[in-house]
Amino acid sequence: KAGVTQTPRYLIKTRGQQVTLSCSPISGHRSVSWYQQTPGQGLQFLFEYFSETQRNKGNFPGRFSGRQFSNSRSEMNVSTLELGDSALYLCASSYIAGESTDTQYFGPGTRLTVL
Amino acid sequence: QKEVEQNSGPLSVPEGAIASLNCTYSDRVSQSFFWYRQYSGKSPELIMSIYSNGDKEDGRFTAQLNKASQYVSLLIRDSQPSDSATYLCAVVDTGRRALTFGSGTRLQVQP
């Protein structure tokens, strides 16, 4: 079974621009979560989508947004980029069974550099 | 503030030894616990999950959970140089269904 895929793998943008990152979950997985990883803050939760609905959101400004499509693929968008947005953005998918929180499997990530 | 604490290391062990990685968490209602391994420049890879008090073994890896002490650990037996990586402890935030990660422990296995 193919793993989580993310595109693009690397991205260079300048301050003030916006960026869209894409994530395709493992086949059959319906939940997609996004995380930001930086050397200073570590891995931080951005948001989670399930059935095209954002169920949970982390403590990030409104410049960070996302969506999920009917095929469970997800995109996240960052508008008005700042230097501090340079990070590895990770997507994780999980198969939701009942009320349990199932294991999250991570994609390879998108390395975003803001100049 | 819900937190997950790990010693940043590096933890250095000789090849063939047992590496012991520790993690404490502050949220008493946390139910699910995970250990991920992350090689430099790569994404986190799941090693173990544990939900109940006690030990859970998978090959060379053993996860231990003590909810009363809010403590979870990972033992790696017969450590290999290929085990050299950063090990991330993660706890599920039951309110948000999100993983809260520790800062990771860097393990170095010396040949």
Side-chain angles (χ1 to χ4, degrees), chain A residues 35 37 55-56 104 107, chain B residues 36 38 43 46 96-97 99:
Chain A
Y35 294 83
Q37 187 174 32
R55 294 200 298 186
N56 300 292
Q104 295 187 26
Chain B
Y36 287 86
Q38 187 173 27
S43 64
L46 178 75
R96 296 188 303 164
R97 301 175 64 95
L99 290 168

Side-chain angles (χ1 to χ4, degrees), chain A residues 57-74:
Chain A
K57 190 176 190 303
N59 298 321
F60 279 81
R63 300 186 297 106
F64 292 83
S65 63
R67 59 178 175 169
Q68 187 180 34
F69 303 95
S70 58
N71 61 358
S72 296
R73 190 177 69 85
S74 177

Side-chain angles (χ1 to χ4, degrees), chain B residues 3-7 22-27 33 35 69-73 89 91 102:
Chain B
E3 292 185 348
V4 178
E5 301 286 343
Q6 293 182 258
N7 188 319
N22 304 313
C23 171
T24 59
Y25 59 95
S26 62
D27 184 6
F33 307 86
W35 283 99
S69 300
Q70 295 177 240
Y71 176 91
V72 58
S73 66
C89 172
V91 174

Side-chain angles (χ1 to χ4, degrees), chain A residues 6-13 17-23 34 47 63-69 73-81 89 110-112:
Chain A
Q6 292 186 246
T7 57
R9 294 292 310 279
Y10 302 92
L11 209 47
I12 299 175
K13 292 287 188 179
Q17 287 186 309
Q18 73 168 16
V19 66
T20 299
L21 312 181
S22 181
C23 171
W34 289 89
F47 29 65
R63 300 186 297 106
F64 292 83
S65 63
R67 59 178 175 169
Q68 187 180 34
F69 303 95
R73 190 177 69 85
S74 177
E75 290 182 345
M76 68 162 283
N77 183 276
V78 187
S79 62
T80 319
L81 285 166
Y89 289 88
T110 295
R111 173 75 63 184
L112 172 65

